[in-house]
Amino acid sequence: MKMFMGGQIFGAGVIIVSFFLLILCGMVCGTDSDIFCLKSVKRTLDDPYNYLQSWNFNNNTEGYICKFTGVECWHPDENKVLNLKLSNMGLKGPFPRGIQNCSSMTGLDFSLNRLSKTIPADISTLLTFVTTLDLSSNDFTGEIPASLSNCTYLNTIRLDQNQLTGQIPANLSQLPRLKLFSVANNLLTGQVPIFANGVASANSYANNSGLCGKPLLDACQAKASKSNTAVIAGAAVGGVTVAALGLGIGMFFYVRRISYRKKEEDPEGNKWARSLKGTKTIKVSMFEKSISKMNLNDLMKATDNFGKSNIIGTGRSGTVYKAVLHDGTSLMVKRLQESQHSEKEFLSEMNILGSVKHRNLVPLLGFCVAKKERFLVYKNMPNGTLHDQLHPDAGACTMDWPLRLKIAIGAAKGLAWLHHSCNPRIIHRNISSKCILLDADFEPKISDFGLARLMNPIDTHLSTFVNGEFGDLGYVAPEYTKTLVATPKGDIYSFGTVLLELVTGERPTHVSKAPETFKGNLVEWIQQQSSNAKLHEAIDESLVGKGVDQELFQFLKVACNCVTAMPKERPTMFEVYQLLRAIGINYNFTTEDEIMLPMDTGDADNLEELIVAREGHD
Ligand SMILES: *[C@@H]1O[C@H](CO)[C@@H](O)[C@H](O)[C@H]1NC(C)=O
Ligand SMILES: *[C@@H]1O[C@H](CO)[C@@H](O)[C@H](O)[C@H]1NC(C)=O
Ligand SMILES: *[C@@H]1O[C@H](CO)[C@@H](O)[C@H](O)[C@H]1NC(C)=O
Ligand SMILES: *[C@@H]1O[C@H](CO)[C@@H](O)[C@H](O)[C@H]1NC(C)=O
Ligand SMILES: *[C@@H]1O[C@H](CO)[C@@H](O)[C@H](O)[C@H]1NC(C)=O
């Protein structure tokens, strides 16, 4: 008996050890895999114009493949492929299966080549995380693989100008993130999938052999019902009983009704909301008694049945809707992304989040669970996101320096509170200027805190890059792509990027001031400016020369400290808050409810000490 138990424990130990080995291997071996991938691509493809000659693998420098023609890496010093863009190179050969070893690749562009044979049937296992797939203008034959519908991160599929045959897999319409689908100029037949609005137009299907169904003018209806009647007639001729015939006809009408209903619903694009019929009396659990009681029906009315026009934002954790109650109260309702967590786990997280309250956090007022759907109800923030204020659609940003500084200090305070004073400590994992909301007085409030833990494991790492086509990429700390482990230091890097946005007025992913040839993000540009001793040129000109240049420069320095490549060299969030508060000491920003912390330092005089203390610390 004892021995048997010992064996079990030993077995468990082996499993745990091999699990860690797996993780280690994922971190260490990942880059060899990508080199193997590119070697294999080069070997498989016939390259008559020698575009891939520059792919020289006799080099041990970490990141050397990132200089290859057509290769984009996650990080220039790491052999890890982000995108492969081999367009218009006259490449020939079959689809190179070796790309499966570029296991973190998110974009593949083979357009305008002479690739032939079929698209692999198991493409979903070759391109697990791909968001953009462009195989247009090649010589691919055969069918569009049904497994493509398992590449759930796909935003864009372009297969036009090939010789593809057969039907388009109907399940492609289930790809949750698909924004563009195009198969024009092929030999496809049959019914086109029922996509959400805007994904495919008639042009996306033009010049095929026989496609039908909306948005095309050829309806499929007649053909479908003809074949149905044929089946029924065949059954009758086969001498089946009248009862069975009745059943057949019943099913025929049932099928027709379903397809009719589908057509009616799809243009609305929120089928899921209709499926909540029958659950409308479910109560919304409220953390605050001050808000009148609500049920799901009230939320649905207030959001126009979660209508598209009520969407005010879509992020990694879900979609946010504007809700106006019958008494005129404005709220925000977040529909969470589907998650594998049980209802029990969700409720326990809600218990924690409901008690997390701070002046610089968006208050969570309540939540509601209905079938598979989970909704969070937040107080409305009338001035929207910091991102939209900093980067307005039209015209330049009009925020003056005191306002930007006030927002930086307030947001730092909220995040410092999450890191240091909240129990359990909360790592945000998704800080950006889009999750900093502004109330009527432009007081910043951090949103989305605590939600990362409610997401599926995969969503907590890769979707940062995948969702929204790298929308948040500029904010992600470099070590994160290697370790995939969320740390407070990762939050600080992201927050530093927000600070850079505030002081430069530039977007994190694209720097308008930089020369055309510069391809990096805001942080990389700042680092380049810094090493060229041109840091001052990075500051937003609309702020310069108004007697605050000293503050601007100090602020920029704090931001630079936060985005240092080495996590250890970054300050803690508490330090960031104190440094910023010191810069804003001459303004009368509200300073009540200071965070209680182990260190009590806050005066401008202590700036140097703080930095020294930090260096001794980590
Ligand atoms: C390439 O991928 C295949 C399939 O996942 C795997 O079996 C193989 O070990 C990988 N090769 C390298 C060098 O990583
Ligand atoms: C290896 O690649 C790096 C980065 O592209 C380059 O600077 C270096 O010269 C290369 N070394 C050799 C031996 O080719
Ligand atoms: C898609 O993935 C599911 C689950 O992994 C699998 O059962 C199914 O066979 C896949 N479909 C295709 C067409 O590969
Ligand atoms: C298509 O989707 C349906 C329903 O979700 C599923 O039952 C079926 O297995 C899927 N087919 C393929 C080929 O993935
Ligand atoms: C369809 O084919 C015609 C004739 O080749 C061409 O002019 C037209 O641009 C094609 N349409 C699309 C959408 O590619």
Side-chain angles (χ1 to χ4, degrees):
M1 184 67 192
K2 257 193 178 157
M3 271 178 66
F4 178 67
M5 276 176 58
Q8 269 189 330
I9 290 167
F10 176 71
V14 169
I15 290 172
I16 290 171
V17 168
S18 32
F19 179 67
F20 279 112
L21 281 181
L22 262 181
I23 292 181
L24 267 180
C25 187
M27 282 156 58
V28 179
C29 318
T31 60
D32 282 347
S33 166
D34 286 47
I35 294 169
F36 178 88
C37 156
L38 295 183
K39 279 184 181 166
S40 159
V41 168
K42 185 175 175 181
R43 206 177 333 111
T44 311
L45 296 179
D46 184 12
D47 175 25
Y49 305 107
N50 294 326
Y51 279 102
L52 305 185
Q53 208 165 40
S54 66
W55 288 20
N56 175 7
F57 293 96
N58 300 324
N59 194 329
N60 291 325
T61 325
E62 187 58 16
Y64 76 94
I65 61 169
C66 306
K67 300 254 166 57
F68 286 4
T69 309
V71 175
E72 286 175 19
C73 288
W74 285 92
H75 190 275
D77 297 334
E78 191 190 11
N79 290 329
K80 201 165 206 189
V81 179
L82 173 67
N83 292 310
L84 190 55
K85 295 185 173 169
L86 303 178
S87 179
N88 202 6
M89 297 182 171
L91 302 171
K92 288 184 196 165
F95 187 95
R97 294 186 58 85
I99 53 161
Q100 67 184 301
N101 295 83
C102 288
S103 50
S104 316
M105 189 167 68
T106 65
L108 180 62
D109 181 358
F110 277 142
S111 61
L112 293 157
N113 284 298
R114 307 280 314 273
L115 300 194
S116 53
K117 307 235 168 72
T118 58
I119 303 172
D122 57 349
I123 189 159
S124 67
T125 60
L126 306 183
L127 295 169
T128 321
F129 298 118
V130 76
T131 63
T132 302
L133 177 64
D134 190 345
L135 304 180
S136 60
S137 300
N138 277 285
D139 297 327
F140 285 114
T141 55
E143 303 202 349
I144 300 174
S147 83
L148 208 51
S149 63
N150 270 355
C151 297
T152 49
Y153 294 106
L154 275 170
N155 285 270
T156 300
I157 303 178
R158 301 200 65 128
L159 304 174
D160 27 297
Q161 289 278 11
N162 280 287
Q163 284 130 49
L164 298 168
T165 50
Q167 301 208 356
I168 305 171
N171 280 14
L172 290 181
S173 65
Q174 287 166 22
L175 284 169
R177 297 185 166 114
L178 197 62
K179 307 245 162 41
L180 182 93
F181 179 77
S182 168
V183 291
N185 301 298
N186 277 290
L187 306 165
L188 297 163
T189 53
Q191 175 147 25
V192 303
I194 303 166
F195 285 115
N197 275 351
V199 173
S201 66
N203 267 344
S204 315
Y205 300 119
N207 299 335
N208 273 286
S209 305
L211 287 174
C212 62
K214 259 189 173 176
L216 297 170
L217 296 175
D218 301 309
C220 304
Q221 221 64 6
K223 245 186 250 160
S225 59
K226 216 186 269 169
S227 66
N228 262 329
T229 26
V231 167
I232 293 164
V237 169
V240 189
T241 63
V242 176
L245 182 62
L247 190 69
I249 291 175
M251 277 179 66
F252 170 64
F253 280 110
Y254 181 66
V255 167
R256 275 189 49 138
R257 225 181 68 212
I258 285 185
S259 58
Y260 174 62
R261 272 235 306 269
K262 258 215 182 109
K263 266 184 142 181
E264 202 177 51
E265 284 167 7
D266 270 315
E268 301 289 326
N270 58 357
K271 239 189 284 181
W272 60 270
R274 282 162 201 254
S275 77
L276 294 178
K277 261 183 202 166
T279 60
K280 287 186 171 179
T281 53
I282 290 181
K283 281 212 182 71
V284 178
S285 311
M286 290 309 232
F287 297 115
E288 307 221 350
K289 299 223 169 63
S290 57
I291 310 275
S292 55
K293 289 208 172 81
M294 280 191 292
N295 59 24
L296 184 54
N297 194 31
D298 297 322
L299 283 192
M300 293 185 73
K301 272 190 189 153
T303 55
D304 196 13
N305 284 326
F306 296 100
K308 262 196 185 146
S309 55
N310 280 50
I311 295 181
I312 47 182
T314 300
R316 203 166 140 198
S317 55
T319 304
V320 183
Y321 296 83
K322 185 183 172 65
V324 183
L325 300 179
H326 52 78
D327 66 357
T329 316
S330 281
L331 300 170
M332 297 186 293
V333 179
K334 176 160 221 155
R335 178 195 178 213
L336 285 182
Q337 292 274 29
E338 257 179 57
S339 126
Q340 284 154 2
H341 291 272
S342 69
E343 184 164 341
K344 199 171 148 202
E345 286 167 313
F346 176 74
L347 293 181
S348 113
E349 284 296 321
M350 284 301 105
N351 251 332
I352 297 173
L353 288 188
S355 64
V356 173
K357 290 196 192 311
H358 184 271
R359 174 188 165 86
N360 295 109
L361 301 178
V362 178
L364 176 62
L365 303 177
F367 65 92
C368 174
V369 180
K371 293 192 176 164
K372 276 166 82 182
E373 300 294 338
R374 285 146 199 209
F375 302 102
L376 304 182
V377 181
Y378 290 101
K379 201 165 173 178
N380 186 41
M381 292 294 136
N383 278 313
T385 69
L386 172 60
H387 177 274
D388 292 350
Q389 295 283 348
L390 273 177
H391 316 294
D393 282 338
C397 168
T398 55
M399 298 166 85
D400 64 8
W401 174 240
L403 178 56
R404 295 192 204 193
L405 188 54
K406 165 181 147 163
I407 290 171
I409 296 172
K413 197 200 277 184
L415 189 54
W417 193 83
L418 286 175
H419 278 190
H420 299 287
S421 301
C422 176
N423 188 12
R425 150 190 256 198
I426 291 179
I427 301 175
H428 190 290
R429 305 184 193 201
N430 202 14
I431 287 286
S432 73
S433 58
K434 285 183 188 165
C435 78
I436 297 172
L437 305 186
L438 302 169
D439 75 1
D441 300 325
F442 284 88
E443 184 68 29
K445 314 258 182 184
I446 294 179
S447 70
D448 272 4
F449 53 90
L451 296 188
R453 295 211 309 194
L454 285 171
M455 298 295 99
N456 294 331
I458 182 71
D459 278 325
T460 56
H461 45 89
L462 268 158
S463 76
T464 318
F465 322 116
V466 171
N467 206 347
E469 292 145 332
F470 328 123
D472 296 334
L473 188 57
Y475 297 100
V476 180
E479 74 274 10
Y480 192 51
T481 56
K482 291 181 195 161
T483 61
L484 298 181
V485 175
T487 64
K489 296 290 189 189
D491 272 0
I492 288 165
Y493 181 96
S494 308
F495 190 75
T497 314
V498 174
L499 295 181
L500 287 177
E501 258 181 287
L502 277 163
V503 70
T504 64
E506 296 283 354
R507 290 169 189 265
T509 44
H510 176 254
V511 183
S512 64
K513 251 189 223 172
E516 281 278 296
T517 49
F518 183 79
K519 292 280 180 282
N521 60 30
L522 179 54
V523 170
E524 286 157 350
W525 183 62
I526 288 289
Q527 279 158 355
Q528 192 182 356
Q529 292 291 109
S530 179
S531 59
N532 295 342
K534 287 183 175 172
L535 204 47
H536 55 281
E537 287 177 11
I539 297 172
D540 188 338
E541 279 106 7
S542 75
L543 307 175
V544 177
K546 297 185 175 162
V548 294
D549 289 4
Q550 185 64 23
E551 286 168 27
L552 290 168
F553 210 71
Q554 284 175 347
F555 188 97
L556 188 53
K557 282 283 185 194
V558 175
C560 288
N561 278 342
C562 294
V563 297
T564 317
M566 294 297 292
K568 274 189 176 174
E569 289 172 11
R570 295 173 206 150
T572 67
M573 204 52 226
F574 171 68
E575 288 162 348
V576 175
Y577 167 59
Q578 296 295 358
L579 290 165
L580 293 176
R581 204 164 72 97
I583 296 171
I585 201 87
N586 296 327
Y587 301 82
N588 291 324
F589 300 137
T590 331
T591 46
E592 84 238 22
D593 82 355
E594 289 314 335
I595 330 173
M596 307 284 244
L597 279 148
M599 282 187 292
D600 184 28
T601 43
D603 301 330
D605 303 342
N606 286 342
L607 261 174
E608 295 304 319
E609 264 176 59
L610 242 169
I611 295 168
V612 174
R614 159 167 71 79
E615 279 165 358
H617 240 42
D618 278 319

